[in-house]
Amino acid sequence: MQTKKITLNAEKRKVIADQFQSFYEDKVKDKLVKAKEQYDLIREKAKEQIEKVVRFHQPQEDVDTIRRMIQKYNSAGGELYEDNCFYVQRPIKKVDDEGREYDATDEVHVKFDMGKDFARAYYRDEMKAKGLNPDFHLSINDDYSKRNPKYYNDESACNKFLGFQTSSNDDKSITTPKSAWENDFKLWVIGSSYCHSRNFKVDENTLEFFKMYVASADEVIKQHEQLYSYVESKMKTLRLGLKSYRTFDQAKALADKVGVVLNETMMNESSSLALSIYSPDNLASLLEDKEVLTREQKIAIARKQMQQSVN
């Protein structure tokens, strides 16, 4: 008896595309993981090093003295600021277009909070697990005319998760990544909150170390960009092919050639999940007045329901 072929629809094509995307990401994501690990190691050393630099120029006893002066004379007693942003520099010689030497400085901006590009790269896996799209800004390739409602929705969702976008309704018991990083490391410094107003002189080796620290953060961003670029180039071609495929057998033949694990159970599970998610019991649960579930949470509920029915 001939087995009926599985006809592909939009939902099944997405399941297939997700399998291929996971396959290609697994091939290159180790570079991003290693870049994050390297950054973490250098960051701990950088914290120790910057504290030595700051305390050399601004000894703790001076900080304590100013604190007492502020207590006695208020703002007239001086200025202190607890910061995670620093500039270090060393004097160098440069030569102008006419061959004349002049004094200059070689400086590095050393910071221990995180920017949005770095945050999306560092927390990419965590955001994807929540059903968010941490690659949204890479998808437009710096062409801002491509920003559409989905782009802004993805941007807002990622910013909210990371803590760059807050509201009075947010659960204050939840520490966002942005808040955690800002409070992970701070030093009391003499001066105002303006970071560039405090520039600490260091020797060449120390300056080169901090350049390496900054470069390690840039490498995390770079590996995120390269991961997306590699995977998206593969997925563009795959999506075109999937549009022309009518049956699962065609996709299965492709998957076998490439080395992607793909079987009919995944197709059946996809259809069963849709039914299970919106079964009377689960639908009633989803309609309750509580926190909105992500797609991944809904799928987890459905899978649990399916597993219980099998057992």
Side-chain angles (χ1 to χ4, degrees), residues 11 19 29 35 37 48 70 99 108 111 117 125 131 133 163 166 172 178 180 189 196 201 204 228 233-234 240 276 278:
E11 183 183 10
Q19 287 298 113
K29 70 178 184 180
E37 290 173 347
E48 296 175 2
I70 292 172
V108 178
K111 54 184 181 179
D117 286 347
D125 287 347
N133 177 19
T166 59
K172 302 301 187 293
K178 178 177 180 290
V189 291
H196 212 163
K201 289 185 178 180
E204 183 176 2
Y228 175 82
S233 67
K234 300 291 186 183
L240 289 174
S276 182
Y278 296 108

mmCIF file of all heavy atoms in Angstrom, residues 11 19 29 35 37 48 70 99 108 111 117 125 131 133 163 166 172 178 180 189 196 201 204 228 233-234 240 276 278:
data_model
loop_
_atom_site.group_PDB
_atom_site.id
_atom_site.type_symbol
_atom_site.label_atom_id
_atom_site.label_comp_id
_atom_site.label_asym_id
_atom_site.label_seq_id
_atom_site.Cartn_x
_atom_site.Cartn_y
_atom_site.Cartn_z
ATOM 1 N N GLU A 11 3.324 26.368 7.768
ATOM 2 C CA GLU A 11 3.757 25.941 9.099
ATOM 3 C C GLU A 11 4.832 24.872 9.019
ATOM 4 O O GLU A 11 5.852 24.934 9.724
ATOM 5 C CB GLU A 11 2.555 25.410 9.879
ATOM 6 C CG GLU A 11 2.892 25.006 11.309
ATOM 7 C CD GLU A 11 1.699 24.419 12.046
ATOM 8 O OE1 GLU A 11 0.675 24.164 11.397
ATOM 9 O OE2 GLU A 11 1.821 24.220 13.264
ATOM 10 N N GLN A 19 14.882 23.783 11.488
ATOM 11 C CA GLN A 19 15.860 22.694 11.625
ATOM 12 C C GLN A 19 17.151 23.026 10.893
ATOM 13 O O GLN A 19 18.245 22.809 11.407
ATOM 14 C CB GLN A 19 15.272 21.384 11.083
ATOM 15 C CG GLN A 19 14.208 20.745 11.952
ATOM 16 C CD GLN A 19 14.764 20.360 13.313
ATOM 17 O OE1 GLN A 19 14.387 20.937 14.335
ATOM 18 N NE2 GLN A 19 15.666 19.417 13.337
ATOM 19 N N LYS A 29 28.386 28.826 15.895
ATOM 20 C CA LYS A 29 28.138 29.581 17.115
ATOM 21 C C LYS A 29 29.241 29.419 18.159
ATOM 22 O O LYS A 29 29.351 30.232 19.074
ATOM 23 C CB LYS A 29 26.797 29.198 17.730
ATOM 24 C CG LYS A 29 26.729 27.814 18.333
ATOM 25 C CD LYS A 29 25.359 27.563 18.946
ATOM 26 C CE LYS A 29 25.282 26.222 19.639
ATOM 27 N NZ LYS A 29 23.936 25.986 20.232
ATOM 28 N N ALA A 35 34.337 33.858 22.070
ATOM 29 C CA ALA A 35 34.578 35.301 22.191
ATOM 30 C C ALA A 35 34.019 35.827 23.506
ATOM 31 O O ALA A 35 34.636 36.660 24.173
ATOM 32 C CB ALA A 35 33.943 36.035 21.013
ATOM 33 N N GLU A 37 33.588 34.013 26.262
ATOM 34 C CA GLU A 37 34.421 33.465 27.335
ATOM 35 C C GLU A 37 35.715 34.267 27.474
ATOM 36 O O GLU A 37 36.171 34.552 28.588
ATOM 37 C CB GLU A 37 34.734 31.996 27.061
ATOM 38 C CG GLU A 37 33.521 31.074 27.194
ATOM 39 C CD GLU A 37 33.822 29.656 26.764
ATOM 40 O OE1 GLU A 37 34.884 29.428 26.144
ATOM 41 O OE2 GLU A 37 32.995 28.764 27.040
ATOM 42 N N GLU A 48 40.503 44.570 37.992
ATOM 43 C CA GLU A 48 41.624 44.673 38.928
ATOM 44 C C GLU A 48 42.596 45.768 38.496
ATOM 45 O O GLU A 48 43.088 46.554 39.315
ATOM 46 C CB GLU A 48 42.362 43.333 39.007
ATOM 47 C CG GLU A 48 41.516 42.185 39.574
ATOM 48 C CD GLU A 48 42.248 40.864 39.509
ATOM 49 O OE1 GLU A 48 43.421 40.851 39.072
ATOM 50 O OE2 GLU A 48 41.667 39.834 39.896
ATOM 51 N N ILE A 70 32.455 66.799 52.081
ATOM 52 C CA ILE A 70 31.097 66.948 51.545
ATOM 53 C C ILE A 70 30.073 66.874 52.671
ATOM 54 O O ILE A 70 29.096 67.638 52.695
ATOM 55 C CB ILE A 70 30.820 65.849 50.493
ATOM 56 C CG1 ILE A 70 31.696 66.068 49.247
ATOM 57 C CG2 ILE A 70 29.343 65.829 50.097
ATOM 58 C CD1 ILE A 70 31.625 64.938 48.238
ATOM 59 N N GLY A 99 56.043 67.053 8.483
ATOM 60 C CA GLY A 99 57.166 66.374 9.117
ATOM 61 C C GLY A 99 57.563 66.915 10.467
ATOM 62 O O GLY A 99 58.611 66.542 11.007
ATOM 63 N N VAL A 108 42.308 55.439 25.656
ATOM 64 C CA VAL A 108 41.350 54.347 25.518
ATOM 65 C C VAL A 108 40.186 54.605 26.482
ATOM 66 O O VAL A 108 40.397 54.982 27.634
ATOM 67 C CB VAL A 108 41.986 52.978 25.853
ATOM 68 C CG1 VAL A 108 40.940 51.866 25.754
ATOM 69 C CG2 VAL A 108 43.141 52.684 24.917
ATOM 70 N N LYS A 111 35.144 50.919 29.770
ATOM 71 C CA LYS A 111 33.838 50.938 30.431
ATOM 72 C C LYS A 111 33.421 49.519 30.805
ATOM 73 O O LYS A 111 33.808 48.543 30.164
ATOM 74 C CB LYS A 111 32.781 51.587 29.537
ATOM 75 C CG LYS A 111 32.669 50.988 28.143
ATOM 76 C CD LYS A 111 31.672 51.771 27.315
ATOM 77 C CE LYS A 111 31.546 51.159 25.920
ATOM 78 N NZ LYS A 111 30.556 51.882 25.095
ATOM 79 N N ASP A 117 24.529 46.897 21.076
ATOM 80 C CA ASP A 117 25.060 45.892 20.138
ATOM 81 C C ASP A 117 25.735 44.754 20.892
ATOM 82 O O ASP A 117 25.542 43.572 20.573
ATOM 83 C CB ASP A 117 26.058 46.537 19.167
ATOM 84 C CG ASP A 117 25.372 47.385 18.117
ATOM 85 O OD1 ASP A 117 24.132 47.276 17.985
ATOM 86 O OD2 ASP A 117 26.065 48.153 17.432
ATOM 87 N N ASP A 125 21.508 33.984 22.883
ATOM 88 C CA ASP A 125 20.841 32.704 23.160
ATOM 89 C C ASP A 125 19.674 32.882 24.120
ATOM 90 O O ASP A 125 18.609 32.273 23.944
ATOM 91 C CB ASP A 125 21.834 31.692 23.739
ATOM 92 C CG ASP A 125 22.797 31.162 22.701
ATOM 93 O OD1 ASP A 125 22.549 31.373 21.496
ATOM 94 O OD2 ASP A 125 23.812 30.535 23.083
ATOM 95 N N GLY A 131 11.915 33.648 22.500
ATOM 96 C CA GLY A 131 11.149 33.945 21.295
ATOM 97 C C GLY A 131 11.418 35.320 20.726
ATOM 98 O O GLY A 131 10.674 35.804 19.867
ATOM 99 N N ASN A 133 14.013 38.304 18.843
ATOM 100 C CA ASN A 133 14.892 38.327 17.679
ATOM 101 C C ASN A 133 16.060 39.276 17.915
ATOM 102 O O ASN A 133 15.971 40.466 17.589
ATOM 103 C CB ASN A 133 14.109 38.750 16.435
ATOM 104 C CG ASN A 133 15.003 38.869 15.203
ATOM 105 O OD1 ASN A 133 16.100 38.316 15.171
ATOM 106 N ND2 ASN A 133 14.537 39.597 14.201
ATOM 107 N N GLY A 163 16.707 45.611 29.363
ATOM 108 C CA GLY A 163 16.622 46.671 30.356
ATOM 109 C C GLY A 163 16.910 48.052 29.817
ATOM 110 O O GLY A 163 16.993 49.018 30.585
ATOM 111 N N THR A 166 12.317 50.687 29.868
ATOM 112 C CA THR A 166 11.621 50.367 31.122
ATOM 113 C C THR A 166 10.342 51.189 31.243
ATOM 114 O O THR A 166 10.158 52.183 30.540
ATOM 115 C CB THR A 166 12.514 50.650 32.332
ATOM 116 O OG1 THR A 166 12.885 52.043 32.334
ATOM 117 C CG2 THR A 166 13.791 49.809 32.284
ATOM 118 N N LYS A 172 9.725 45.179 39.561
ATOM 119 C CA LYS A 172 10.972 45.707 40.126
ATOM 120 C C LYS A 172 11.841 44.617 40.762
ATOM 121 O O LYS A 172 13.011 44.851 41.059
ATOM 122 C CB LYS A 172 10.657 46.782 41.174
ATOM 123 C CG LYS A 172 9.845 47.945 40.633
ATOM 124 C CD LYS A 172 10.562 48.654 39.495
ATOM 125 C CE LYS A 172 9.831 49.918 39.058
ATOM 126 N NZ LYS A 172 8.529 49.660 38.428
ATOM 127 N N LYS A 178 21.055 44.840 31.765
ATOM 128 C CA LYS A 178 21.659 46.181 31.782
ATOM 129 C C LYS A 178 21.946 46.627 33.206
ATOM 130 O O LYS A 178 23.043 47.120 33.516
ATOM 131 C CB LYS A 178 20.744 47.182 31.093
ATOM 132 C CG LYS A 178 21.257 48.622 31.107
ATOM 133 C CD LYS A 178 20.300 49.525 30.341
ATOM 134 C CE LYS A 178 20.798 50.969 30.331
ATOM 135 N NZ LYS A 178 20.706 51.606 31.650
ATOM 136 N N ALA A 180 22.248 44.733 35.875
ATOM 137 C CA ALA A 180 23.252 43.855 36.488
ATOM 138 C C ALA A 180 24.658 44.274 36.091
ATOM 139 O O ALA A 180 25.570 44.296 36.927
ATOM 140 C CB ALA A 180 22.990 42.406 36.082
ATOM 141 N N VAL A 189 35.269 57.805 42.378
ATOM 142 C CA VAL A 189 36.307 58.641 41.781
ATOM 143 C C VAL A 189 36.083 60.089 42.180
ATOM 144 O O VAL A 189 34.958 60.508 42.486
ATOM 145 C CB VAL A 189 36.312 58.519 40.246
ATOM 146 C CG1 VAL A 189 36.774 57.144 39.822
ATOM 147 C CG2 VAL A 189 34.940 58.815 39.668
ATOM 148 N N HIS A 196 34.745 61.694 30.697
ATOM 149 C CA HIS A 196 35.964 62.140 30.006
ATOM 150 C C HIS A 196 36.710 63.218 30.789
ATOM 151 O O HIS A 196 37.839 63.578 30.448
ATOM 152 C CB HIS A 196 35.608 62.660 28.614
ATOM 153 C CG HIS A 196 36.686 62.416 27.615
ATOM 154 N ND1 HIS A 196 36.479 62.471 26.257
ATOM 155 C CD2 HIS A 196 37.992 62.099 27.765
ATOM 156 C CE1 HIS A 196 37.608 62.221 25.618
ATOM 157 N NE2 HIS A 196 38.550 61.986 26.508
ATOM 158 N N LYS A 201 46.623 58.817 33.548
ATOM 159 C CA LYS A 201 47.833 58.493 32.802
ATOM 160 C C LYS A 201 48.339 57.104 33.185
ATOM 161 O O LYS A 201 48.362 56.741 34.368
ATOM 162 C CB LYS A 201 48.923 59.531 33.067
ATOM 163 C CG LYS A 201 48.629 60.879 32.435
ATOM 164 C CD LYS A 201 49.791 61.847 32.629
ATOM 165 C CE LYS A 201 49.501 63.182 31.956
ATOM 166 N NZ LYS A 201 50.624 64.141 32.123
ATOM 167 N N GLU A 204 52.810 52.348 28.762
ATOM 168 C CA GLU A 204 52.456 51.743 27.468
ATOM 169 C C GLU A 204 51.840 50.352 27.626
ATOM 170 O O GLU A 204 50.847 50.023 26.972
ATOM 171 C CB GLU A 204 53.705 51.650 26.582
ATOM 172 C CG GLU A 204 53.416 51.100 25.190
ATOM 173 C CD GLU A 204 54.632 51.110 24.291
ATOM 174 O OE1 GLU A 204 55.710 51.517 24.765
ATOM 175 O OE2 GLU A 204 54.512 50.695 23.125
ATOM 176 N N TYR A 228 25.439 35.709 12.113
ATOM 177 C CA TYR A 228 24.203 36.043 11.399
ATOM 178 C C TYR A 228 24.429 36.041 9.891
ATOM 179 O O TYR A 228 23.611 35.509 9.130
ATOM 180 C CB TYR A 228 23.680 37.414 11.837
ATOM 181 C CG TYR A 228 22.471 37.844 11.043
ATOM 182 C CD1 TYR A 228 21.204 37.377 11.370
ATOM 183 C CD2 TYR A 228 22.603 38.692 9.937
ATOM 184 C CE1 TYR A 228 20.095 37.747 10.626
ATOM 185 C CE2 TYR A 228 21.498 39.055 9.180
ATOM 186 C CZ TYR A 228 20.252 38.583 9.532
ATOM 187 O OH TYR A 228 19.158 38.938 8.787
ATOM 188 N N SER A 233 22.921 33.859 4.891
ATOM 189 C CA SER A 233 23.248 33.570 3.488
ATOM 190 C C SER A 233 22.775 32.171 3.098
ATOM 191 O O SER A 233 22.306 31.949 1.977
ATOM 192 C CB SER A 233 24.755 33.704 3.250
ATOM 193 O OG SER A 233 25.474 32.688 3.947
ATOM 194 N N LYS A 234 22.884 31.228 4.023
ATOM 195 C CA LYS A 234 22.390 29.872 3.782
ATOM 196 C C LYS A 234 20.866 29.840 3.749
ATOM 197 O O LYS A 234 20.250 29.178 2.903
ATOM 198 C CB LYS A 234 22.895 28.923 4.871
ATOM 199 C CG LYS A 234 24.407 28.810 4.973
ATOM 200 C CD LYS A 234 24.989 28.103 3.784
ATOM 201 C CE LYS A 234 26.487 27.877 3.969
ATOM 202 N NZ LYS A 234 27.106 27.247 2.774
ATOM 203 N N LEU A 240 14.184 29.996 -0.627
ATOM 204 C CA LEU A 240 13.778 29.980 -2.035
ATOM 205 C C LEU A 240 13.472 28.555 -2.491
ATOM 206 O O LEU A 240 12.489 28.309 -3.196
ATOM 207 C CB LEU A 240 14.884 30.587 -2.910
ATOM 208 C CG LEU A 240 15.094 32.098 -2.780
ATOM 209 C CD1 LEU A 240 16.315 32.536 -3.581
ATOM 210 C CD2 LEU A 240 13.856 32.853 -3.264
ATOM 211 N N SER A 276 -2.869 20.801 20.078
ATOM 212 C CA SER A 276 -2.764 20.637 21.525
ATOM 213 C C SER A 276 -2.749 21.979 22.247
ATOM 214 O O SER A 276 -3.317 22.126 23.315
ATOM 215 C CB SER A 276 -1.499 19.846 21.858
ATOM 216 O OG SER A 276 -1.394 19.641 23.238
ATOM 217 N N TYR A 278 -4.247 24.633 21.507
ATOM 218 C CA TYR A 278 -5.584 25.209 21.566
ATOM 219 C C TYR A 278 -6.664 24.186 21.903
ATOM 220 O O TYR A 278 -7.831 24.363 21.558
ATOM 221 C CB TYR A 278 -5.897 25.925 20.237
ATOM 222 C CG TYR A 278 -4.963 27.080 20.022
ATOM 223 C CD1 TYR A 278 -3.964 27.027 19.057
ATOM 224 C CD2 TYR A 278 -5.031 28.211 20.832
ATOM 225 C CE1 TYR A 278 -3.082 28.078 18.894
ATOM 226 C CE2 TYR A 278 -4.153 29.272 20.668
ATOM 227 C CZ TYR A 278 -3.185 29.201 19.701
ATOM 228 O OH TYR A 278 -2.301 30.240 19.542
#
